[in-house]
Amino acid sequence: MTARPLAVVGASAAGLAAAEALRRLGWRGPLTLIGDEPHLPYDRPPLSKQLLHGTWEPERLLLRGKDQLDALALDLRLGTRATGLDAATRTLTLDNGETLACAGVIIATGVAARTLPGAEGLTGVHTLRTLDDALALRARLTGTGHRLVIVGNGVLGCEAAAVARELGHDVTLVGVEPIPMAAAVGAEIGELLAEEHRAHGVTLHTAAVAGFDASGGAVTGVRLANGGPPGNGGVAAGGAGTGGSTRLPADTVLLAIGSTPAVGWLGDDPALDTSDGLRCDAYCAAAPGIYAAGDVARWEHPVHGRPVRFEHRMNASEQGMAAARNLLAELAAADAAGSAFADAFEGAPPERRPFAPVPYFWSDQYAVKLQAYGLTTGADRVETTVLDRAGRRAVALYGRDGHAVGVLAAGLPPRQVRGLRAVIAAPVPWEEARERVRAATAAG
């Protein structure tokens, strides 16, 4: 009996990790990898850093070369979108009308960049999510002296602002929150970053965007709602000011206002929960034979006891491998007769295990490197110790319900950063974690 294929939807870091793990764990049957971009799988973090800066070219972002992908014996469908999934039958529909009946599906479709009303079709307005996005923005910023307005002061906006200033452009960073990256790292670390951006000549505004000005189809400015001259932290939208709007001249605008999980193609299948990503159990299973990994997956973290979704690179690869392992374990258990699955599988089936990572993310801005472990968002308590303000060296501890759940280091050497990971590998009482952080950062 010929086995039905396994399909991975999303030729991303998570999708590639899943496909490689399926082969490594023993799947010898048909394996389809579907990606909506025409490019071979590539790494996304360098898009807003080395690629945008021009120090790397696209070839350096490739996660695997063509020969390495050929060795996986994939049915590789690049430039192809999945447009539907019948969860009950595990049948995919593709944008060319083809249907693909699968033994199992791993969804790794990631997220899509948000945009703003009035931005569509305007020359000079960009988002930054894909390789083509990054190359288009890089081409737009050729030369020096461009007037760039970045809308969104989260991680992506801050990283892009740092690169653009290093390239010699006039940069204004606009956010609805008064402190950059505060939602991700807390107010005190965010203020350290704000100081660094100001020191490099970035202008910071706190305001909502009211619209865009254009001439001949090209952007010429960004209008801020109830704006005014930037001060210490900017002017909050809706706050006291001129009562009108402030216009920021711009020949280039980057919209870095977050993203939405790419789940629209799944429709309204009652078997799937697509609120804030694809909801999964602790094993990354969204439904029988349907798994998810990477930015799109919102799964029950067995340590933290609540559903979480991470848009971070390390999680993507780790979760892709976990989803592959648990899918194969499920299929092996379901194939009591030992027919199709046994014919397509080599070796002993893997054990099904909950996915319980210690989340990790990093961000590079100028000479400042941030590294964080655990959960830094949604904390009800944050304690920041600034070790060297001028050097932007600091450590922050994040707590929830009396336990430490996350830790962040700015500008610390690798040895100290590694020591911090152990502090929050599992939630520990707040006071115990404080002492361990002090010990980990005492030297150096």
Side-chain angles (χ1 to χ4, degrees):
M1 180 183 295
T2 302
R4 293 194 297 174
L6 299 182
V8 179
V9 185
S12 55
L16 177 62
E20 290 183 326
L22 289 169
R23 288 302 192 210
R24 186 170 58 252
L25 291 169
W27 179 256
R28 299 294 176 259
L31 178 56
T32 300
L33 178 60
I34 301 164
D36 61 355
E37 296 183 58
H39 311 291
L40 295 177
Y42 61 86
D43 212 10
R44 293 190 190 277
L47 294 179
S48 60
K49 305 178 186 74
Q50 295 93 335
L51 188 86
L52 184 59
H53 202 289
T55 54
W56 287 13
E57 292 303 318
E59 294 74 20
R60 191 165 175 181
L61 274 64
L62 294 180
L63 293 169
R64 300 291 182 270
K66 186 177 183 303
D67 291 346
Q68 294 169 302
L69 292 173
D70 288 344
L72 295 174
L74 299 172
D75 174 15
L76 185 58
R77 312 281 192 99
L78 298 178
T80 300
R81 288 188 304 109
T83 58
L85 170 65
D86 184 328
T89 63
R90 305 173 196 175
T91 300
L92 288 164
T93 301
L94 307 182
D95 59 359
N96 61 3
E98 180 183 356
T99 58
L100 189 64
C102 303
V105 177
I106 296 176
I107 296 169
T109 45
V111 296
R114 288 193 177 106
T115 186
L116 287 174
E120 186 177 356
L122 274 185
T123 300
V125 178
H126 296 258
T127 55
L128 182 49
R129 172 63 189 169
T130 68
L131 175 58
D132 290 342
D133 290 342
L135 291 174
L137 180 58
R138 187 172 82 171
R140 181 75 180 182
L141 294 176
T142 299
T144 59
H146 285 277
R147 293 179 299 183
L148 171 65
V149 173
I150 299 174
V151 182
N153 60 1
V155 177
L156 176 60
C158 288
E159 289 181 348
V163 169
R165 279 302 297 144
E166 290 174 345
L167 292 173
H169 303 301
D170 179 15
V171 179
T172 300
L173 185 61
V174 179
V176 294
E177 297 299 330
I179 301 175
M181 285 181 58
V185 301
E188 292 184 77
I189 295 293
E191 186 53 44
L192 273 184
L193 294 173
E195 291 173 10
E196 185 73 359
H197 281 284
R198 292 190 191 100
H200 282 83
V202 176
T203 301
L204 304 182
H205 280 271
T206 307
V209 170
F212 303 96
D213 291 338
S215 176
V219 70
T220 60
V222 176
R223 284 177 281 111
L224 305 183
N226 295 318
N232 183 19
V235 178
T242 64
S245 64
T246 292
R247 181 184 185 276
L248 303 176
D251 56 54
T252 308
V253 174
L254 172 62
L255 301 180
I257 53 175
S259 57
T260 56
V263 294
W265 65 280
L266 293 170
D268 56 359
D269 191 321
L272 303 175
D273 179 353
T274 56
S275 55
D276 187 28
L278 183 56
R279 178 68 185 271
C280 302
D281 63 15
Y283 300 89
C284 308
I290 309 293
Y291 287 70
D295 296 0
V296 75
R298 183 167 65 96
W299 89 103
E300 193 73 25
H301 196 294
V303 174
H304 294 285
R306 61 189 177 98
V308 293
R309 187 172 68 82
F310 297 129
E311 296 183 24
H312 301 309
R313 174 64 175 83
M314 293 299 294
N315 182 74
S317 293
E318 292 175 355
Q319 196 165 25
M321 291 186 284
R325 179 186 64 244
N326 289 334
L327 171 60
L328 290 176
E330 178 191 328
L331 295 178
D335 189 34
S339 53
F341 180 84
D343 292 341
F345 194 82
E346 182 178 279
E351 293 183 4
R352 203 162 183 256
R353 295 201 300 266
F355 181 55
V358 177
Y360 170 76
F361 86 88
W362 77 94
S363 178
D364 297 315
Q365 298 172 41
Y366 310 106
V368 180
K369 188 176 190 70
L370 303 180
Q371 298 181 79
Y373 293 101
L375 306 182
T376 60
T377 60
D380 57 31
R381 186 175 186 180
V382 181
E383 182 175 291
T384 301
T385 303
V386 178
L387 304 169
D388 177 1
R389 193 162 204 95
R392 314 300 185 211
R393 293 177 59 246
V395 62
L397 187 65
Y398 304 82
R400 187 183 178 99
D401 299 329
H403 288 76
V405 295
V407 65
L408 178 145
L412 297 190
R415 175 178 54 82
Q416 289 182 324
V417 174
R418 286 193 296 270
L420 292 174
R421 183 188 186 279
V423 174
I424 50 82
V428 297
W430 178 261
E431 292 301 327
E432 177 185 340
R434 290 180 70 198
E435 293 304 316
R436 293 174 66 180
V437 167
R438 289 193 187 104
T441 57

